[in-house]
Amino acid sequence: MGIVEVRQYTLNPSKSKEFFTLTNDYGSLRKELMPVKGMYSTEIGTLNTFLHLYEYKDYDHRDECRAASGSHPEWQGDYLKKSKQCMVEQKSAVYKPASDLLKAVGWNGFEDVARQTTEKQGAGVYEFRKYRVKGTGMNQLLSAMETSLPEFQSAGGVLVFVGLCDVSEDPASVLVIWRYDSMQQREESRKARPPQSTEQANLLAGCILDAPSICLAVPLLASPMQ
């Protein structure tokens, strides 16, 4: 497993429709130039936001891909020139997959998630949950997740990714991404999950700083994962 970059662009509300139209139109070129795994528009959370995921073998691979897109005349002269006029702010964070945890819960990579989503009818809803971890709480959190995630999976929803932050403004953080068929299915899935034991609740309370930040987003038409 390599690294996963999550890029977050805040858009001018009056230009968000133009941005997403452009991004869908140039979706094939993005896939040709970069290993994009998902592209999303937020529905709940910080609105008018574009989230996109990339999986690289390592940082050298990332540099190679960005160099290729940086020298591509259509990407630079057409898409970026127009799309940047719609943006207010850009952020990026890089995560290392929680390899042992993902292996333990049966995760088989983004391609497998994409295959599962194509078998479903219509686009789903993606939940991005970010946990800020106390200084020595990372192993505790991952241990708690190894117990709880299989139970959550059995209640409904597809686990898309779990990553440990490598570079970002929130360095001690964990990102968990889920995919649901709809917002209603997410609600029903959460209700169906078994209640946390006192031990689990105390364990989580001891390793995270506060409640996780959550946003819900829907995939663009050009997104590999629907």
Side-chain angles (χ1 to χ4, degrees), residues 2-226:
I3 57 174
V4 173
E5 182 176 15
V6 181
R7 297 180 71 86
Q8 177 178 317
Y9 296 169
T10 303
L11 308 175
N12 182 328
S14 66
K15 294 187 176 182
S16 61
K17 183 177 180 180
E18 175 185 351
F19 175 89
F20 289 124
T21 298
L22 274 169
T23 300
N24 276 319
D25 288 346
Y26 285 85
S28 296
L29 182 56
R30 185 189 297 269
K31 294 172 191 175
E32 177 186 325
L33 295 171
M34 292 168 284
V36 60
K37 301 302 178 183
M39 297 182 281
Y40 309 95
S41 167
T42 53
E43 284 283 313
I44 295 178
T46 303
L47 301 180
N48 299 298
T49 300
F50 174 50
L51 296 167
H52 37 139
L53 316 180
Y54 301 85
E55 183 180 31
Y56 299 103
K57 298 173 185 176
D58 51 31
Y59 283 102
D60 284 343
H61 182 214
R62 178 182 182 273
D63 290 344
E64 291 168 7
C65 292
R66 292 186 63 78
S69 63
S71 61
H72 194 285
E74 185 180 0
W75 183 257
Q76 291 292 322
D78 293 340
Y79 175 71
L80 284 186
K81 183 178 180 181
K82 296 173 182 175
S83 65
K84 282 184 176 180
Q85 297 176 20
C86 305
M87 299 179 197
V88 176
E89 183 180 48
Q90 295 175 290
K91 290 184 179 182
S92 174
V94 175
Y95 296 87
K96 290 186 175 179
S99 304
D100 292 342
L101 171 62
L102 289 168
K103 182 178 179 181
V105 300
W107 186 79
N108 292 311
F110 288 113
E111 284 72 18
D112 184 58
V113 176
R115 179 190 58 77
Q116 292 181 59
T117 65
T118 58
E119 293 173 354
K120 297 177 179 289
Q121 301 222 345
V125 173
Y126 286 73
E127 178 180 21
F128 292 73
R129 299 176 68 91
K130 186 164 71 173
Y131 297 84
R132 297 173 62 229
V133 184
K134 293 180 180 178
T136 59
M138 186 64 75
N139 288 336
Q140 286 179 288
L141 178 60
L142 294 178
S143 177
M145 285 184 173
E146 188 169 338
T147 300
S148 61
L149 289 182
E151 297 175 344
F152 293 174
Q153 287 174 296
S154 65
V158 175
L159 180 65
V160 177
F161 180 67
V162 181
L164 315 181
C165 186
D166 195 42
V167 181
S168 94
E169 60 186 9
D170 289 322
S173 61
V174 174
L175 176 67
V176 182
I177 306 174
W178 289 92
R179 191 259 186 207
Y180 300 95
D181 291 343
S182 65
M183 291 202 183
Q184 185 60 37
Q185 196 226 3
R186 173 185 178 270
E187 180 69 12
E188 293 170 357
S189 171
R190 294 183 64 78
K191 288 179 180 178
R193 292 175 182 178
Q196 286 183 333
S197 67
T198 302
E199 181 181 358
Q200 286 177 314
N202 289 338
L203 182 61
L204 285 173
C207 59
I208 60 176
L209 289 172
D210 45 32
S213 63
I214 300 172
C215 78
L216 302 181
V218 295
L220 273 62
L221 291 174
S223 176
M225 290 191 294
Q226 290 291 308

